[in-house]
């Protein structure tokens, strides 16, 4: 009986957690959309409430609108005119005190992480941490530049060492390239390995025999 219960739990648990995360995300976006409707209702005449109020009760509408807004924004800024407006947008926010420091920091990080030609989080590595002889999984985030590169040299890599089981926190390290081992496993496989605390090991690559 215990064996069957555990087997059934292993079958349904991933599906249940996935559905729970999706429902949480839908609820979050619907809540943001509801707050936006509240703001619009406060700025418009009361006669428009008859059109705004029914929108609150459509489940998933916030997800559809956010997705549509992202898609339209991406399409607009992909041409010359859109890039000009984006430059004006950035110039506006970079002149607002206090706000500009947060905006610039987030923009630089997001541009680095989501750039199609960047190297951030596209390679898993083995590094010795927190001491020599103890190995853990890390992800390459780039290479040192600027003043840091002037002190260390070019033969270094920047890596992020995630914590377990929560990979959103971790440590940033600068290591000599000779002291890291690049892995063939994908980033998804490496993240699964970290989150599962090593219990879900990636499949070892099949060695090819040279002809």
């Amino acid at each position: 009986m215990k064996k069957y219960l555990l087997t059934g739990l292993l079958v349904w648990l991933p599906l249940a957690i996935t559905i729970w995360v999706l429902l949480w995300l839908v609820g979050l976006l619907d809540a943001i959309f509801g707050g936006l409707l509240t703001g619009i209702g406060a700025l418009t005449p009361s006669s428009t409430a008859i059109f705004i109020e029914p929108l609150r009760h459509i489940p998933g509408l916030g997800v559809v609108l956010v997705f549509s807004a992202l898609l339209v924004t991406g399409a607009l800024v992909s041409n010359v005119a859109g890039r000009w407006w984006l430059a004006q947008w950035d110039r506006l926010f970079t002149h607002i005190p206090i706000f500009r420091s947060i905006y610039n920091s987030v923009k630089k990080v997001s541009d680095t992480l989501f750039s199609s030609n960047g190297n951030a989080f596209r390679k898993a590595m083995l590094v010795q941490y927190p001491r020599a002889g103890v190995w853990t999984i890390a992800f390459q985030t780039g290479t040192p530049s600027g003043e840091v590169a002037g002190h260390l040299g070019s033969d270094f890599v920047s890596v992020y060492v995630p914590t377990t089981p929560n990979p959103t926190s971790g440590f940033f390290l600068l290591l000599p390239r000779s002291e890291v081992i690049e892995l063939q496993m994908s980033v998804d496989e490496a993240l699964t390995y970290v989150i599962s605390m090593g219990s879900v090991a990636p499949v070892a690559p099949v060695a090819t025999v040279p002809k």
Side-chain angles (χ1 to χ4, degrees), residues 70-204:
L70 293 176
L71 192 62
V72 171
T73 303
L76 290 177
V77 300
S78 297
N79 53 53
V80 177
R83 286 193 290 270
W84 183 85
W85 282 108
L86 182 62
Q88 307 311 309
W89 176 280
D90 289 339
R91 186 174 300 144
L92 171 65
F93 287 122
T94 52
H95 284 80
I96 302 176
I98 301 176
F99 184 88
R100 64 186 176 188
S101 59
I102 302 174
Y103 180 80
N104 286 336
S105 300
V106 174
K107 181 173 176 57
K108 289 179 180 178
V109 172
S110 61
D111 287 347
T112 301
L113 292 180
F114 298 108
S115 174
S116 58
N117 56 359
N119 295 320
F121 290 92
R122 285 171 170 75
K123 189 177 297 183
M125 296 179 162
L126 272 178
V127 301
Q128 298 187 77
Y129 183 83
R131 61 175 178 82
V134 177
W135 295 85
T136 187
I137 300 290
F139 301 95
Q140 182 177 354
T141 59
T143 55
S145 60
E147 183 181 358
V148 176
H151 288 285
L152 297 179
S154 59
D155 201 24
F156 275 73
V157 293
S158 307
V159 300
Y160 173 73
V161 179
T163 55
T164 302
N166 177 19
T168 58
S169 64
F171 305 93
F172 168 65
L173 305 175
L174 298 170
L175 299 174
R177 193 178 296 273
S178 59
E179 295 184 7
V180 302
I181 300 176
E182 295 185 6
L183 300 174
Q184 296 184 27
M185 70 176 70
S186 66
V187 172
D188 290 339
E189 291 175 330
L191 274 175
T192 301
Y193 197 37
V194 170
I195 295 173
S196 67
M197 296 175 284
S199 61
V200 181
V203 179

Side-chain angles (χ1 to χ4, degrees), residues 27-84:
L28 176 63
L29 293 177
D30 281 348
I32 295 174
F33 180 63
L36 180 62
L37 290 179
T38 301
I40 294 175
L43 297 175
T44 55
S46 57
S47 59
T48 60
I50 190 174
F51 302 103
I52 295 178
E53 194 60 29
L55 297 177
R56 298 179 183 272
H57 307 289
I58 302 178
L61 183 59
V63 178
V64 174
L65 292 179
V66 169
F67 178 79
S68 302
L70 293 176
L71 192 62
V72 171
T73 303
L76 290 177
V77 300
S78 297
N79 53 53
V80 177
R83 286 193 290 270
W84 183 85

Side-chain angles (χ1 to χ4, degrees), residues 13-27:
L13 187 60
L15 178 62
I17 293 177
T18 302
I19 293 175
W20 177 78
V21 170
L22 291 176
L23 290 176
W24 173 82
L25 183 61
V26 170

